[in-house]
Amino acid sequence: ALLRQARERLEEEPLALSGWLALRAAPPGCFARIDGALAAGFRTPEASVVALADVRPAYARDRDQPSPDLAFGGGQLQPGDAVVHLDHGLGALRGVETVTVDGVSEDRLLLDYADGATKLVPADETDRLWRYGAEAESVTLDRLGGEAWPKRRAAVEAQLAETAQALLRMAREREALKAPALRPPRAAMARFAQGFPYSLTADQEAAIEATLRDLAAGRPMDRLVCGDVGFGKTEVALRAAAAAVLAGYQVAVLAPTTVLVRQHLDTFRRRFAGLGVRIEALSRLSAPAEARAVRAGLDSGEVGIAIGTQALAAKGVRFRKLGLVIVDEEQRFGARQKSMLRRLGEGVHNLSLTATPIPRTLQSALIGLQSLSVIATPPARRQPIRTLQIPASDGLLKEALARENRRGGQSFVVCPRIADIAPMRARLKRLMPRLKLIEAHGDMPAEEIDEAMVRFAEGKADALLSTNIVETGLDVPRANTMLVWQPDRFGLAQLHQLRGRVGRGRARGNIMLLTDPEEPPSPAAARRLHTLEAFDRVGAGFAISARDMDLRGAGDLLGEEQAGHVKLIGIGLYQHMLDRALRQARGEAVEEDWSPALAIGISAGIPEDYISDDALRVETHARLGEILRRGDTAALEDLAEEIEDRFGPPPELVRHWLALARLRLRCKRLGVRRLEGGPQGVAAQLPGERLILRKPSQSPAERLALLKRLLDNVRRHQRQQAA
């Protein structure tokens, strides 16, 4: 796929070379290929060599791992979704219909609009469809051909132009800021890295390299590291902290809970042992004398790394030479706390770690206000957590806890409110009198909460009954079952974080979302729970955050209130329009949104006897639309391979469907607005001119070959005009 993309972009065939000596002897400026394995590309005065790994990162090469593109997609289009057509507005996606005109058949997506109107979207226009982020029944559909949508779209575009200018000013102001250039001694960093007892995944390695590069740049780093629970984000933080302290600066590590502070304190002290770095903790549990000593050590510079809650950002805390602020589980901090953290991190480097970023943070990273590193590769032998939504019953509770007990494990029982703890305790004691139970909730003193969690982690109980305070900071390898009472009272990110507490050992984890039979979840809550069930793979945190962004809105990037235009047009189209507005604000040339039209008389589509499930057919068409929108030839070839892997050798209609998609991608690159074909010849319509190739074709294969030849002629014609 990569070689095909290079051929199409350069419009020439590569010169096959037998080896490196042949490369050195090749003519200057040629495009060549060498067969063989190469871990990374390189450049010499004579040539630039590109390896597959340079263009297709590790997560894309491994078909079992989700790529960031997939992860942030938040799910594909499904029948029943509300969708936004760039030209026609908000409609309801119903399914796929096959339409035959003059003996030529093609698949079209059926959309419903207000007043019973329908729209059949041809393949030419699937790249103009965006998922709105809600089921169709919960929104008001636009009137097909009405004036409301064009006015709404124009208003949002005007608003986004202003937003883009403001974001650009913010980015320029940040670029002008200075920060310490943290360049640690290489030998010392290498010794520290050797303390990591595992092999880095490719994603970890890329995140570490990017972070160290940012720290050495002399401008304030603002990097978000996204990685699911247990994927190795902490090692990125440890390497960054080592770079800072070895360069002579202090580090502040902030965590949302005292338990997590304690866990980080143990980890950091273990890794920095022997380096002479003083590491201390500061939180609400710190004794007054101990807290005074830590603050004095920070002021004098004796404490190199301070780990704490927001107490580290309090006004009475002064660092002598702060160089780096690390915020773990940034989604757990509120707006007021984040304001305190921003004051602490002014003029220094900032590194945020998260498994499920809140929508506003995710949006900020996606548009480039923050640098983004994605760790999408799970640790070895990590298995997905079984996720089941089911009405609660006494029999289910008893069986789930007894089963975990029989296999020598422990269980969490999580309630949404402190008021639910006592009734659940009584219920569990009635069902299982011998069950050893420990409790933890917010009404208990902080010392007792910490003590309860530590006792549970040490195996002193069969189950921990708690509120969601166990969401972060508790690593219990033997705990492999979690029962969540009334899960509809939690947010998606909270539920995903809770799910990450189980299955951290070798046994596969289970989470049961126990709904109340007497108070079933609302439709909106049910959608959240279905999302958690659907995204149960390892590494699903990104997809959950993206779906959460769908359901809640991204929030105004320039303030804390929800962005109204996200609700008007949906998060997908909003993302696209904001990206265009940002490019325009930078002075880049941005052409109008257009899609090449094809009228070539060749039947194409996905027949029901090849993919029988209508939802899968919708999803496959929608995925092709996204590929066409991005202009991603390599992704198209990946889709073609996946279709054959899943459904078998494609029939002629599917082969034609893929061939037409390749033509559309090429037309877009060449500026061909319309491609036509018939028995006597083919034609390409460009702005201001029309190129015709008069040659008969008897079969679809002949016509496709003629169309490819015509586009070759268009490319040569454009090169001649440019010369």
Side-chain angles (χ1 to χ4, degrees):
L2 175 63
L3 187 60
R4 185 183 296 109
Q5 187 176 21
R7 280 196 198 103
E8 292 183 359
R9 293 289 176 92
L10 298 173
E11 297 291 332
E12 61 182 79
E13 288 294 320
L15 181 66
L17 301 179
S18 57
W20 301 113
L21 292 177
L23 172 64
R24 297 189 67 177
C30 75
F31 166 44
R33 64 174 287 182
I34 298 176
D35 293 327
L38 188 65
F42 59 88
R43 179 176 292 175
T44 70
E46 295 85 17
S48 294
V49 178
V50 180
L52 182 65
D54 301 320
V55 185
R56 305 280 308 283
Y59 54 73
R61 294 198 306 273
D62 187 345
R63 300 185 71 86
D64 292 332
Q65 304 306 336
S67 74
D69 280 346
L70 172 64
F72 283 124
Q76 298 293 336
L77 286 176
Q78 294 290 315
D81 280 349
V83 295
V84 179
H85 191 294
L86 196 59
D87 303 317
H88 305 293
L90 192 58
L93 176 59
R94 295 305 179 201
V96 179
E97 283 200 7
T98 301
V99 177
T100 302
V101 179
D102 295 332
V104 177
S105 66
E106 66 172 19
D107 286 354
R108 298 192 177 191
L109 296 180
L110 175 63
L111 304 186
D112 283 349
Y113 282 88
D115 301 329
T118 61
K119 166 76 177 172
L120 289 169
V121 179
D124 294 344
E125 297 180 15
T126 53
D127 60 338
R128 302 177 78 76
L129 278 183
W130 306 85
R131 186 172 179 275
Y132 179 73
E135 279 74 11
E137 285 69 24
S138 63
V139 300
T140 301
L141 303 182
D142 280 315
R143 191 184 304 275
L144 197 59
E147 297 180 359
W149 168 248
K151 288 180 179 178
R152 197 159 81 244
R153 177 179 161 185
V156 170
E157 285 176 338
Q159 291 173 346
L160 286 179
E162 295 179 8
T163 300
Q165 291 290 348
L167 293 174
L168 200 58
R169 283 195 300 274
M170 290 167 58
R172 285 171 180 163
E173 289 168 3
R174 196 177 66 214
E175 282 289 312
L177 296 174
K178 301 293 182 184
L182 307 183
R183 300 188 181 100
R186 288 189 178 183
M189 273 299 292
R191 284 196 301 274
F192 181 83
Q194 288 171 359
F196 186 52
Y198 310 102
S199 297
L200 291 173
T201 65
D203 295 342
Q204 275 183 305
E205 193 167 3
I208 289 168
E209 288 177 0
T211 300
L212 296 180
R213 189 166 57 245
D214 285 355
L215 291 175
R219 292 188 301 273
M221 175 180 75
D222 190 4
R223 180 167 291 276
L224 176 68
V225 178
C226 276
D228 222 331
V229 180
F231 273 38
K233 300 184 296 293
T234 302
E235 184 60 24
V236 181
L238 285 162
R239 301 285 178 99
V245 296
L246 291 173
Y249 287 84
Q250 293 171 294
V251 178
V253 182
L254 293 108
T257 66
T258 54
V259 173
L260 195 51
V261 167
R262 179 181 294 185
Q263 184 176 308
H264 280 324
L265 184 65
D266 293 341
T267 301
F268 273 70
R269 282 179 171 171
R270 186 170 60 250
R271 283 298 302 279
F272 281 88
L275 289 181
V277 179
R278 184 178 166 191
I279 303 173
E280 300 291 352
L282 188 64
S283 71
R284 63 183 180 181
L285 297 185
S286 303
E290 181 186 348
R292 282 195 299 272
V294 172
R295 285 195 291 267
L298 291 173
D299 195 17
S300 67
E302 293 176 15
V303 174
I305 300 176
I307 302 172
T309 55
Q310 71 263 27
L312 271 181
K315 291 182 179 179
V317 179
R318 289 185 297 273
F319 289 80
R320 182 176 182 83
K321 200 178 181 183
L322 182 62
L324 172 65
V325 174
I326 298 172
V327 181
D328 193 14
E329 301 292 354
E330 62 84 32
Q331 79 278 1
R332 294 290 307 279
F333 290 96
R336 188 181 62 83
Q337 294 166 314
K338 287 187 177 181
S339 177
M340 293 171 62
L341 301 186
R342 278 195 291 271
R343 286 197 300 270
L344 177 65
E346 283 179 1
V348 300
H349 300 284
N350 288 272
L351 179 67
S352 299
L353 312 177
T354 184
T356 48
I358 61 172
R360 187 167 181 259
T361 302
L362 176 58
Q363 179 67 14
S364 178
L366 287 175
I367 68 168
L369 280 181
Q370 279 182 295
S371 301
L372 177 66
S373 292
V374 174
I375 301 180
T377 310
R381 291 185 294 186
R382 185 72 183 271
Q383 300 181 76
I385 310 301
R386 290 192 190 94
T387 305
L388 178 66
Q389 178 189 170
I390 190 168
S393 68
D394 285 354
L396 185 68
L397 276 167
K398 185 174 181 178
E399 174 56 28
L401 293 169
R403 179 182 175 278
E404 188 58 59
N405 210 327
R406 285 195 299 271
R407 65 174 182 171
Q410 296 170 279
S411 302
F412 292 97
V413 181
V414 182
C415 298
R417 301 171 303 179
I418 295 173
D420 299 318
I421 294 287
M424 182 58 71
R425 180 203 310 130
R427 188 175 187 180
L428 294 177
K429 287 296 184 184
R430 174 172 54 81
L431 294 172
M432 303 182 70
R434 296 185 180 180
L435 187 75
K436 295 178 183 177
L437 203 61
I438 288 178
E439 292 181 24
H441 54 76
D443 269 359
M444 297 165 57
E447 297 87 346
E448 289 186 22
I449 294 173
D450 275 12
E451 182 188 350
M453 291 187 178
V454 170
R455 283 171 53 219
F456 181 66
E458 290 174 348
K460 302 291 177 61
D462 301 316
L464 176 66
L465 174 61
S466 72
T467 54
N468 69 317
I469 59 173
V470 297
E471 186 179 325
T472 58
L474 196 61
D475 191 358
V476 187
R478 283 182 55 216
N480 294 304
T481 290
M482 176 174 284
L483 308 177
V484 182
W485 170 241
Q486 291 185 318
D488 47 301
R489 294 179 179 267
F490 296 95
L492 267 181
Q494 285 181 310
L495 289 170
H496 183 65
Q497 286 290 119
L498 286 169
R499 180 165 63 180
R501 295 304 104 202
V502 295
R504 298 172 74 89
R506 294 192 175 185
R508 185 167 185 182
N510 304 282
I511 179 170
M512 292 188 176
L513 308 175
L514 304 177
T515 56
D516 188 345
E518 296 180 5
E519 294 182 36
S522 68
R527 287 197 295 273
R528 287 204 310 274
L529 300 183
H530 285 313
T531 294
L532 200 75
E533 283 186 291
F535 294 116
D536 66 349
R537 65 176 186 268
V538 174
F542 316 119
I544 285 169
S545 293
R547 181 60 63 89
D548 208 14
M549 192 159 66
D550 271 352
L551 296 172
R552 292 166 51 193
D556 188 344
L557 289 167
L558 304 177
E560 291 297 332
E561 295 185 3
Q562 294 295 314
H565 44 256
V566 175
K567 292 185 172 66
L568 290 175
I569 63 174
I571 192 65
L573 181 54
Y574 160 80
Q575 177 74 41
H576 171 73
M577 291 171 65
L578 180 57
D579 179 66
R580 288 172 56 84
L582 283 167
R583 286 190 283 129
Q584 285 178 323
R586 294 188 196 107
E588 299 175 17
V590 180
E591 64 178 17
E592 62 173 303
D593 270 318
W594 65 278
S595 306
L598 271 63
I600 57 178
I602 294 177
S603 295
I606 306 175
E608 288 187 50
D609 58 3
Y610 183 62
I611 299 179
S612 58
D613 185 79
D614 194 45
L616 271 178
R617 294 172 74 212
V618 168
E619 178 184 319
T620 307
H621 278 288
R623 288 179 63 186
L624 180 66
E626 176 61 28
I627 288 168
L628 294 175
R629 187 155 51 231
R630 297 201 314 260
D632 193 339
T633 304
L636 175 58
E637 299 313 319
D638 284 346
L639 178 62
E641 290 177 23
E642 181 186 329
I643 288 172
E644 185 162 0
D645 286 345
R646 291 176 68 182
F647 307 109
E652 184 180 58
L653 283 175
V654 176
R655 293 198 304 272
H656 290 170
W657 181 74
L658 293 166
L660 297 188
R662 295 183 185 105
L663 289 175
R664 287 190 183 92
L665 286 176
R666 202 167 175 207
C667 284
K668 185 78 172 181
R669 286 198 299 273
L670 295 173
V672 174
R673 298 300 180 113
R674 183 176 176 84
L675 197 63
E676 299 173 335
Q680 302 306 315
V682 292
Q685 182 67 52
L686 291 95
E689 59 183 334
R690 178 178 169 88
L691 300 181
I692 300 174
L693 180 58
R694 299 186 190 280
K695 189 169 183 179
S697 56
Q698 302 299 321
S699 67
E702 288 181 2
R703 192 167 303 168
L704 289 170
L706 272 182
L707 290 163
K708 183 179 182 302
R709 182 175 157 190
L710 174 64
L711 294 179
D712 289 341
N713 292 344
V714 170
R715 180 59 173 155
R716 280 193 292 271
H717 176 64
Q718 290 176 340
R719 283 182 170 178
Q720 289 169 0
Q721 287 189 322

